[in-house]
Amino acid sequence: MIPDTFDFDGYFDQQVDESAKVRPASTWTQEVVDQFYGEPSAKSWVPTGFDKMRGKFDLRPGEVTLWAGINGHGKTTLLSQVQLRAMQSGQKVGLASFEMKPPKSMAKMSRQAAGIGSPSIQYIRAFHRWTDNRLWIYDHLGRVATKRVLAVATYMRKELGIDHMVIDSLMKCGIGTDDYTAQKDFVNDLCSVAQETGLGIHLVVHMRKGENERSAPDKFDVKGASEIVDLVDNLVICWKNVRKLGLAEEKRDPDDPDAFVRIAKQRHHTWEGSFAFWFDPDTQQFREHQKERAAYLDLPVGQMEVA
């Protein structure tokens, strides 16, 4: 029996809100046909900009990706380079970095775009002009409420047409480090936003402290609630080759990679494994081969400034 205390008004409101989602199964006929005979879904994938990753790990709409790593192991820097390449592919990117002020984030990306450690003033200005209608930044440093993050993500997608949004990082999203239920709920809400709007969300997370940094972490080392790895679509782990970096310069083998990027989970792709990279501190670029030359974005730096 239904008790007299049942909230009928609340129940009715739920029916009104959700009624549009109840549709005949035949609504999806063409989409099912496309699963068998349509264009490959990979056409909507965006390359990371690294040839060795193409077809194995790409950026896909409507998915949430965790970018994990020990502090200082390059996850934010790698993600910055990937988002720069996404913009070069025609994607619109949103950045909500709660750990780094916008000028710092843009200085890093400017070096990655120029392919040199100290870009000229003209190039920096040209690069920032180029980012117009390609890159938006949510200007907030420090702790922020989860509801605000979800609202910003929804706004970026619906009002600005953002394709991929970076949230850096989970620990700044107004949740206690030991509040695993809140962490799980927040990541679950992010997944809902991604699925409902098509926004690609990239969430930076940290790793638990181990005995040392010489052992490569895995998905069980992601800091926080264990459910967050289960909820997301992808998990990318960045790890510096600490053994190489600990050697004196003359003892280092240049063919030994500086870093490894491990694709530890892909819900919608069967490939999992690791990629080797070499890192150039001046340009802040991850490179696929030890002798690879710096990539750069060719921009018209000589055009006159307009007041």
Side-chain angles (χ1 to χ4, degrees), residues 285-301:
Q285 289 184 2
F286 284 81
R287 300 178 185 176
E288 301 186 64
H289 309 285
Q290 190 268 327
K291 295 182 179 179
E292 182 180 2
R293 300 182 64 181
Y296 67 93
L297 179 61
D298 192 8
L299 297 174
V301 299

Side-chain angles (χ1 to χ4, degrees), residues 187-244:
V187 172
N188 198 31
D189 287 340
L190 285 178
C191 292
S192 295
V193 171
Q195 293 164 3
E196 293 173 5
T197 67
L199 176 65
I201 297 178
H202 304 267
L203 177 63
V204 176
V205 295
H206 297 282
M207 290 293 194
R208 296 187 180 91
K209 292 182 179 179
E211 294 183 3
N212 57 67
E213 296 184 20
R214 291 180 175 270
S215 299
D218 60 24
K219 63 182 180 181
F220 300 107
D221 296 315
V222 174
K223 192 174 184 179
S226 60
E227 290 88 351
I228 66 177
V229 174
D230 299 330
L231 288 167
V232 300
D233 300 284
N234 312 298
L235 172 61
V236 181
I237 299 175
C238 304
W239 179 69
K240 280 184 179 179
N241 187 353
V242 179
R243 183 194 58 78
K244 176 183 178 180

Side-chain angles (χ1 to χ4, degrees), residues 46-245:
V46 178
T48 61
F50 298 112
D51 289 339
K52 62 174 63 177
M53 283 188 171
R54 188 182 294 269
K56 295 179 178 178
F57 176 73
D58 299 284
L59 309 183
R60 291 180 286 267
E63 294 188 1
V64 176
T65 302
L66 293 184
W67 296 75
I70 301 169
N71 286 338
H73 278 236
K75 54 188 178 296
T76 297
T77 300
L78 175 66
L79 188 49
S80 173
Q81 187 172 344
V82 168
Q83 297 303 310
L84 173 61
R85 300 288 179 84
M87 285 188 280
Q88 290 178 260
S89 297
Q91 299 286 287
K92 294 183 178 181
V93 172
L95 173 61
S97 176
F98 309 127
E99 298 192 3
M100 188 179 297
K101 292 182 179 181
K104 290 290 186 180
S105 297
M106 291 306 298
K108 179 190 293 289
M109 192 175 285
S110 295
R111 294 165 74 180
Q112 292 174 327
I116 55 177
S118 298
S120 68
I121 294 176
Q122 293 86 350
Y123 187 92
I124 293 171
R125 294 188 185 280
F127 174 63
H128 282 70
R129 287 194 298 268
W130 179 85
T131 63
D132 284 340
N133 207 37
R134 291 184 173 94
L135 176 63
W136 285 260
I137 297 177
Y138 176 54
D139 185 12
H140 181 93
L141 188 68
R143 188 180 177 93
V144 61
T146 55
K147 286 186 178 180
R148 176 62 59 87
V149 179
L150 295 168
V152 171
T154 304
Y155 171 83
M156 282 190 169
R157 177 59 176 172
K158 292 187 175 182
E159 304 299 328
L160 302 176
I162 297 297
D163 299 294
H164 290 275
M165 177 187 178
V166 175
I167 301 172
D168 191 359
S169 64
L170 175 61
M171 69 180 296
K172 292 293 185 179
C173 291
I175 306 173
T177 56
D178 58 350
D179 192 346
Y180 294 158
T181 299
Q183 293 172 16
K184 178 190 68 176
D185 290 344
F186 173 58
V187 172
N188 198 31
D189 287 340
L190 285 178
C191 292
S192 295
V193 171
Q195 293 164 3
E196 293 173 5
T197 67
L199 176 65
I201 297 178
H202 304 267
L203 177 63
V204 176
V205 295
H206 297 282
M207 290 293 194
R208 296 187 180 91
K209 292 182 179 179
E211 294 183 3
N212 57 67
E213 296 184 20
R214 291 180 175 270
S215 299
D218 60 24
K219 63 182 180 181
F220 300 107
D221 296 315
V222 174
K223 192 174 184 179
S226 60
E227 290 88 351
I228 66 177
V229 174
D230 299 330
L231 288 167
V232 300
D233 300 284
N234 312 298
L235 172 61
V236 181
I237 299 175
C238 304
W239 179 69
K240 280 184 179 179
N241 187 353
V242 179
R243 183 194 58 78
K244 176 183 178 180
L245 297 176

